[in-house]
Amino acid sequence: MPRAQKLREYTEGVFKILFYTPEIPGNTGNAIRLAAVTGAELHLVEPLGFNFENAHLRRAGLDYHDLAVVTVHKTLEDAWEALAPARVFAFTTTAKTSYADIQYRPGDVLMFGPESVGLPQDVQNDPHITQRVKIPMAPGRRSLNLANAAALATYEAWRQNSFEGGAI
């Protein structure tokens, strides 16, 4: 059985991390590593601010690239088609609900926007989004690093599901 097919079978029903137009290769490299160690899938929506030959991307992902399921989508509509009918939680600093107040289920999508501006308002209002959520921060702070936010959210969702598929 091909490696990609084995990985997809392993990640069936696990959490999906969705980066909408990520800009910084190191963050995506870290997310590749996050996907590999948690069994999550990483979905990226173009345009990307880098290519997969970028040294920062490779360095951040270390040798985990072959252990992660990473899918690049040309458009957000392509991503929705691939991820449907999953629930989608859009992470944004303007949301009222804390990410910790959500009861996550396997297959849920954790969506994050580009590093420089976060999720644009039109994307936040997309009907595919189940709920907008935020990660609490100290007052006056702009945002958490994209890779750190994705890790925090992924581990909370996985924790709520007893780290299913993981070794504790």
Side-chain angles (χ1 to χ4, degrees), residues 55-167:
H56 294 293
L57 178 79
R58 287 193 316 275
R59 187 169 32 256
L62 294 174
D63 56 351
Y64 289 85
H65 293 265
D66 289 345
L67 301 174
V69 173
V70 180
T71 305
V72 179
H73 303 279
K74 292 279 184 200
T75 66
L76 185 54
E77 284 306 316
D78 291 344
W80 293 145
E81 188 175 315
L83 296 167
R87 299 188 312 165
V88 179
F89 296 97
F91 284 72
T92 173
T93 58
T94 61
K96 302 288 185 234
T97 303
S98 169
Y99 82 103
D101 293 335
I102 301 299
Q103 293 296 325
Y104 298 99
R105 299 189 304 237
D108 283 349
V109 176
L110 311 173
M111 182 182 196
F112 302 86
E115 293 89 341
S116 64
V117 295
L119 284 173
Q121 195 61 49
D122 63 319
V123 173
Q124 290 183 40
N125 294 332
D126 189 294
H128 293 92
I129 292 178
T130 306
Q131 190 167 1
R132 296 182 319 140
V133 296
K134 68 177 178 179
I135 297 172
M137 296 181 293
R141 302 325 188 263
R142 240 178 2 120
S143 66
L144 192 60
N145 169 277
L146 175 62
N148 291 342
L152 204 149
T154 301
Y155 268 89
E156 173 60 16
W158 199 25
R159 182 197 66 79
Q160 286 184 17
N161 288 270
S162 303
F163 298 104
E164 184 67 32

